[in-house]
Amino acid sequence: MSAMGFDLDVSVDRAWAEFQRRLGDHISIMVDGDVLAVESSTGDFDPADGAAPCVQFLVWDENTVRCEVPSNDFLHPRYRLEYADEQKLIALGWNPPSENLDDPNNSPAFCVDKAQNWADQLAAMTVAAFRDVFGVQHPAFLSSDLTGNEQTPDFDPSVVESTKLPTLDPTAAYMPNDVDHLKELVTLALLPMLGTLPERDSDGDIPIRVGSTVMFVGPLSESMDVQLFSPLVQDISNRTRAAEVIADLNRKWSRIKFVLIDDRLSVFLEVAGSPFVPKQLTDTCAALTSFLRTVDDEFAARVGGELFFANKSGDSSSLQPDLTAEDLPPELETLLHLDLDVAEDLDAVADVCGRDRDLILQLLHISNEWQIQLRSQAVDAHSRGDAEEAAGYEDQVGGWELMVDRLRGALRLVVLPNSRTETPAKPQPEQMGLFSDPLQQSLFDDPS
């Protein structure tokens, strides 16, 4: 389906095709000892708890490429592979992880060895893994890290910037042809507010984090309207008391529909989808986010339950950490003030961190938390129509993304100290696993 002659699905397919072509070309020029890791750049979890979905390539024996996908021994729990996912990887061409390291595969990861002239096939397998197994929507959500030979150029997975996508007239009325077309219009309408191409969940909705909640935006079932929905509180013990609070909320926030179903309180808003006017959706998002920013533990206590998105400890603050510059560790402050040329020197970054693996992991976690907070603040600013404030937050996000990249590079340098200084001796097949024995500590293990 298309809007203004633009077909979003076709555009995404073309972006993946271009990514596949460029990845194949890059694999074909890698040299002995080069390691390329391409991963889903979600950035909103602690890397010490496990790895993001990724595919890694190691060139060895002059023209052999080992390609590996992490198994559940290494993946973060949120990305755990189901049995069907594992079978897809095997069907795509990867060998299953070895339970016995004396097996020919000799890897605790999904693994395959191919001659370098099979680079195009490895690239195609990689695209299928990210799209069909891990559910990555667009190569713009990927990042990469290259170690090994200094002369090998870096690889940038991004091939389409959000600025190249069409812009809807906020006040124009668009007539969607069907539900898929409406989903596309919703995506394009939210693009200026979010500042990036939003992902859809398995139900076709776009989840947007707001404070201690998540707002879902998508077409209403069996209609051509758009629904904004957010579950707020669960495990409500006193429905009578909750009903009184909800009545007050309905009077105060008259545009929002508060609904108590069983022991759960949720909010709903609807926007006409035929015709679809982008500004109506963004204004409605702004109205709902204004309320959602008031939802916290105290709100849940008033209703007599617990926040729906509270973590296991019941503390919702981790969804939007209140970080301040005063809380920065001295090593991170030093890295933030390094000259650009020095900051690009991974040895210098590692030295600032005392080449301490645990400290680097801690700084990575803090840097990721800063990205999460700033992105959330940018979304809030967009929803209030403050483009200047949003741009300021987005600029800061870019700085923290660079910090994460540098810390990841320093971490690899500390774990694999020869990775940037010399080409390793030709490895033997039994030494080729990019993912080590899960019983031993590796780059992807929790150091605690």
Side-chain angles (χ1 to χ4, degrees), residues 187-199:
T187 298
L188 294 175
L190 293 177
L191 189 59
M193 185 181 83
L194 300 178
T196 186
L197 185 67
E199 292 187 76

Side-chain angles (χ1 to χ4, degrees), residues 307-333:
L307 287 177
F308 186 86
F309 288 104
N311 62 19
K312 293 180 180 179
S313 66
D315 178 12
S316 64
S317 61
S318 64
L319 281 173
Q320 191 175 25
D322 186 16
L323 302 172
T324 64
E326 289 74 17
D327 298 328
L328 291 176
E331 296 85 359
L332 204 49
E333 287 190 12

Side-chain angles (χ1 to χ4, degrees), residues 121-137:
Q121 182 192 25
L122 292 175
M125 291 167 59
T126 299
V127 169
F130 278 125
R131 296 192 75 177
D132 302 335
V133 177
F134 293 116
V136 178
Q137 299 290 327

